[in-house]
Amino acid sequence: MMDRNIIEQIVLEVMKQLALKDQIPSINIQKPKLLIVGDTSFVEPSYLSRLETKWDSIKDNESEKIKLDQINQVVFLHATQDLLAKGALGIFDTKESKLLSKCLLESVPVSIIPTVYLQEHLFNENPKNKPYVSQLQEYKQRLLTFGAKVETIESFIAKSGNAAEAITAKTSITKKKKLLTQRDVQDCRDIELVVDDQTIITPLARDTAREMGKIIKVIETKGAKR
């Protein structure tokens, strides 16, 4: 069986030869995808409009087969105490808690926006029933250690612009590669490498990503010129 290092060298040489005859295909850089879960009627229209300018928003349409590898961020709106507790304790017996668990397991960025009533107690420094609220705040802290954010819609809106631009910038740099090699995986400081579906990924690159605990995400490219 041929050594994978040799295979990668052959692929590199072939790509160099092809590059002399063909131009790098142009790629339409799309906005990062935001999956919105929950009732949007509780959100001010102006906030939703601001989200639309930075994200390609996808509403949760009761689909049981959500492809998280095509989602850059998930936000749970009007989240109840039930979701907060279940997410912190690893319980998944509802549609939302199952999705939250899946996001955490696959390290998909998550923001949880509690109901207004819950926020009044969760973010209150001097609650009336401190022992009970402290338990809820402990759930919040546990979710933070899992990688999820528990915040207000205002803070999410304020930070989402920078987050979306950072994802777009990273995507535009990585996606344009025609070939992803072991060296690219080793040199990338991010956990996730984003490439388009026209990129050739060498077997050694996949092996190295697996060994380093990195994720190679392939995004479908629409309207690309060959």
Side-chain angles (χ1 to χ4, degrees):
M1 184 175 180
M2 189 176 294
D3 185 88
R4 292 198 170 187
N5 283 290
I6 297 177
I7 294 176
E8 182 158 307
Q9 290 302 316
I10 293 174
V11 174
L12 279 168
E13 186 59 35
V14 172
M15 294 302 295
K16 287 179 182 179
Q17 294 300 320
L18 290 175
L20 297 176
K21 301 178 181 180
D22 193 13
Q23 294 182 346
I24 296 176
S26 59
I27 294 174
N28 296 330
I29 303 303
Q30 301 175 351
K31 292 186 290 186
K33 296 185 182 298
L34 174 69
L35 176 61
I36 299 178
V37 182
D39 192 348
T40 58
S41 64
F42 291 92
V43 182
E44 291 184 19
S46 60
Y47 287 155
L48 294 176
S49 297
R50 289 170 64 182
L51 285 178
E52 294 291 342
T53 62
K54 296 294 183 181
W55 300 91
D56 178 8
S57 299
I58 302 172
K59 304 296 191 301
D60 179 21
N61 59 356
E62 302 300 325
S63 172
E64 296 294 334
K65 296 182 179 180
I66 299 173
K67 297 180 179 179
L68 290 180
D69 60 341
Q70 297 177 357
I71 300 297
N72 299 104
Q73 173 91 28
V74 178
V75 58
F76 290 84
L77 298 177
H78 200 63
T80 64
Q81 182 176 322
D82 181 79
L83 181 64
L84 191 75
K86 288 178 178 178
L89 297 175
I91 299 173
F92 52 103
D93 58 357
T94 64
K95 182 189 173 186
E96 285 193 344
S97 61
K98 287 178 181 178
L99 177 58
L100 176 57
S101 174
K102 191 173 181 180
C103 288
L104 295 176
L105 286 171
E106 298 185 22
S107 295
V108 178
V110 170
S111 283
I112 301 173
I113 314 299
T115 64
V116 174
Y117 176 77
L118 184 57
Q119 287 181 36
E120 292 175 355
H121 297 277
L122 193 61
F123 302 125
N124 190 342
E125 295 182 357
N126 297 300
K128 294 181 179 179
N129 190 335
K130 192 169 183 178
Y132 184 70
V133 175
S134 293
Q135 179 65 60
L136 297 180
Q137 292 173 339
E138 184 179 323
Y139 291 154
K140 172 177 172 287
Q141 290 301 319
R142 186 176 296 184
L143 285 166
L144 292 176
T145 63
F146 294 160
K149 295 180 180 178
V150 181
E151 55 188 333
T152 64
I153 186 63
E154 290 82 6
S155 65
F156 177 74
I157 293 291
K159 293 182 294 184
S160 66
N162 293 333
E165 289 172 0
I167 292 171
T168 302
K170 182 177 72 174
T171 301
S172 64
I173 292 173
T174 314
K175 272 183 67 179
K176 291 181 181 179
K177 295 188 69 64
K178 294 185 70 174
L179 176 69
L180 189 72
T181 66
Q182 178 190 38
R183 182 63 179 271
D184 295 322
V185 176
Q186 293 172 334
D187 290 345
C188 182
R189 296 182 179 180
D190 297 316
I191 294 297
E192 184 178 278
L193 294 87
V194 182
V195 297
D196 69 86
D197 53 9
Q198 299 178 48
T199 301
I200 296 175
I201 306 172
T202 68
L204 197 55
R206 293 186 184 279
D207 290 345
T208 302
R210 192 180 304 109
E211 293 169 359
M212 298 179 69
K214 295 185 177 183
I215 301 171
I216 299 177
K217 177 179 288 188
V218 180
I219 295 180
E220 182 180 355
T221 304
K222 297 180 179 179
K225 299 177 181 179
R226 289 186 178 275

